[in-house]
Amino acid sequence: MTAVIQTKNLSKWYGNVLGLSDVSLEVEQGVTGLLGPNGAGKSTFLKLITGQIKPSIGHVAIQGQDVWNNYPLFGRIGFCPEQDAFYDEMTGWEFMTSLLSLYSFSRADVQSRAEKALDFVELAKDKDRLIRGYSRGMRQRLKLAQAVAHDPEIIILDEPLNGLDPLSKRKVIRLIKDYKEAGKTVIVSSHVLPEIEALTRTIILLHQGKILARGDIHYIRDLIDKHPHMISVKCSDPRRLASSLVGEPSVLNIQFGPAPDTVVFETQDRDKFFGLIPRLIVDHRIDVEEITSPDDNLQAVFDYLVGK
Amino acid sequence: MTMSHNAVRSIFSFFFFLGRKARKTKVFFLISGLPVLVALIIQINRLFAPGSGIDGPAIFSSVIMAFNLQFLILVLALFYGTSICSEELEGKTLTYLTTRPAAKSAIILGKYAAYAAFLVLMVAAAVILSFLILNVERVLDLSAWLAMIKALGVLALGLMCYMAFFTLVGTFLKKSILFGLFFSFGWENVVQYFPGSTQKFTIMHYLKSLLPAASTGSAGKLSFLTFKLEPSSAGAAVATLVILTAVFLGLACLVFSKKEYIFED
Amino acid sequence: MVISEQGYVHWQGTFIERRFPWWPITRLGIRLAFKRKFFKFVFSISLLPAVMFSTGVYISERLDDFQFMLKGQDRLLEVNPAFFKSYFTSEPLLFLMVMIMVLAGAGLICDDLKYNSLQLYFSRPLRKRDYVLGKMATVFFFLLILTLVPGLLFVLLKLIFAGSFKFLANYPWIPVSVIAFSLLVTLFFAFYTLLVSSLSKNRRYVSILLFLVYIFSNVFFGIFYSIFHNPYFCLLSIQCDIQQVGAAFFRQSPHYDVPWIYSFLVLAAICCLSAFVLKRKIRGVEVVK
């Protein structure tokens, strides 16, 4: 498959702050997840590939063409920025139609595309309200609508699921999958692993401006799975739950506390552990208040991968 | 640098529409309407005190026009000119424009044209109203109308030239307002008083060369509006203003196209 | 050191109420102002009138030595109430004060509105009046350096250079006038700055407005005065109002034949308007219709 986006030795620094360091990669058709904790360089990478900033060193090309100042290329790209910024004195409808009119669509086409995009993000009934009156979730959906309204071939979404409620998240995930099926190229950035997992198997892990890992998410998952997981269960009878799991080989360690109704398990096989738990809870009639994974966040994974 | 006229037109419509809606425009519309209020007060006074010796047409050509020329267009051009680039950066909305298939120069030119258009309309409305109020007895006098249209043309030219300059300033300076205030009320208001060729280093010199009436007002408290003009010829003044506008705009497009803008967090 | 786990940790300390809850806001405002480009330069420039007048105090005590420079203008260098009035109501000083406010004061409230910081402020043990006081104190800090400090310094220098208390014996009320007028003019400018700063979320717009209202009020006074020759139009000008009140505070005849109390009332009205607007604008939650 030919690469849609290519970067070679791509580096960017802001004064003496390193944003991105020596990133060479090729992004192919389909959905690619860009994962990394805050400050990893995800937004810098996306700004570079959308031609908003110039590389300090290196080269970036989309479909074989240079990106910087190559404005005809932008007709094929849809970009949803991270920042919560709008022309607040416009209504949602005015915002959409104004931006669409910057493409060479007819007036009728502009209107039908705006309508379709707003309808999709469920803002149709609020389209005549001023954007400054929109909630965070509505603003996020509007940003997404402007990125896809012109039906681009390449869609670049910087933290698109931020601030969305679960239903909207599902809808956006569905949309991205539809784009994949339609043969488009989508890059989605996030610092939340499960969000990316729901979207794609191809990921790029960024950390401190460098590519830490790249490829199939299962590879990353395996790496993660080698790292013991902490799972905390807050329930009515933690000792009983612990005794029922003591014989389980995947459980490496059991600790009580810090609260009297909490037990923390350390496991090497998270999926198996989560498969067992529901049955045990039902069998022993234990009231469970909360199950959390204190280290189930990307930072913990990164810490593990970089050997901290 | 290539760009399509369609892109400029689309950007123009975008910002002409947005600019008209903005709250700040309403405030500046009120401010630009202040000369109308002055004209009204003067005319009402004339009605109630007919022997006061106040000459409406003279006041229009000296006071109202001098105010517009030396203060109002500078402030309007400073704010809107520097806004063209700065407001996109401060509002972090630049991304929406620079990720569209429109040349960066089209963004500058389209936005400049949009703001210049509604500022000219705004000032023209106030000037025509002031003219009508102060020239109520000469309303059918063609020469008065011609003089007013000439004055309006000079104001429009001034607005466009100053706006082009401040557009350029806004593309490369972050603290463009402070610089603009020093330029407008420092450089432009001081150097124009210098004798000989020195005054030709101000834009105001060429505007006043086209509108000498605005610079020969009465003395006393209005002396701050007057200066010893050593005018350039009308043709040279117009040509200089047009060339300056084109040069400033060209440079603004160049800087905006080449420069990388990073949002402040 | 206690290492807390990730998540919410309940604070278990005892709350000690700050005596001056507004002080951190003031400190931040001052620090941010000095971080701004060109601020230090403009602030240094604004101290020039004080330096010049201080030199004047020195020369006034050594008139014989400077006679060759003064060429009969020595009456200008007499340190008396008129000298103080000249300093406090001089156009360059007032203009520089406006420029200081453009740089240091424009963003005081407007930046908080832009970044929705008011919610953060009011989620702390802070009342609205502490917030306003904190912001005002920032303006006070800068403007008192330009008014009160030089004013008292002139008195001190005069006493030192003269080597006697004759000046104070002649004008015992001068220090009180210096303090009162400095506070008044600073209070007015603080209200004026906060009023304009609370009108928008756009700092550039606020900067222009701060400058514009001050200049235009003066221009319109000039226009009307030249046409109608009526001194009461001086009430339109912020600068003239300050000058009229300044003249009264230093027991000098005002420049325009208008009772100074009218000018004082105009300034007071602007302060009241500001207080009213601030009361409405400063709230923890923005209501969008």
Side-chain angles (χ1 to χ4, degrees), chain B residues 120-142:
Chain B
V120 168
L121 288 176
M122 197 190 273
V123 171
V127 168
I128 293 170
L129 266 175
S130 313
F131 171 80
L132 288 173
I133 292 166
L134 288 169
N135 290 271
V136 78
E137 63 272 27
R138 291 176 65 199
V139 85
L140 295 173
D141 182 348
L142 190 67

Side-chain angles (χ1 to χ4, degrees), chain C residues 260-272:
Chain C
W260 69 273
I261 194 75
Y262 290 175
S263 289
F264 180 82
L265 287 175
V266 170
L267 298 179
I270 295 173
C271 292
C272 290

Side-chain angles (χ1 to χ4, degrees), chain C residues 42-63:
Chain C
V42 177
F43 193 58
S44 315
I45 296 282
S46 64
L47 291 169
L48 278 182
V51 174
M52 283 167 63
F53 274 73
S54 300
T55 315
V57 177
Y58 174 71
I59 295 173
S60 74
E61 285 304 318
R62 300 187 57 187
L63 282 177

Side-chain angles (χ1 to χ4, degrees), chain A residues 31-36 160-161 169-170 172-174 176-177 180 188-205 215-225 229 270-271 274 293 296-298 301:
Chain A
V31 181
T32 304
L34 194 62
L35 263 170
L161 302 175
K169 269 188 190 176
R170 272 185 62 182
V172 172
I173 289 169
R174 186 66 254 156
I176 293 169
K177 285 183 170 171
K180 182 188 174 184
V188 190
S189 83
S190 176
H191 56 267
V192 184
L193 186 63
E195 279 179 9
I196 294 289
E197 249 182 326
L199 280 169
T200 181
R201 290 173 61 170
T202 312
I203 62 160
I204 299 166
L205 273 176
D216 195 295
I217 200 157
H218 289 303
Y219 164 72
I220 308 294
R221 259 278 174 224
D222 287 346
L223 283 176
I224 294 165
D225 287 343
H229 283 262
R270 205 173 68 134
D271 295 341
F274 281 124
S293 189
D296 188 17
N297 59 53
L298 207 57
V301 175

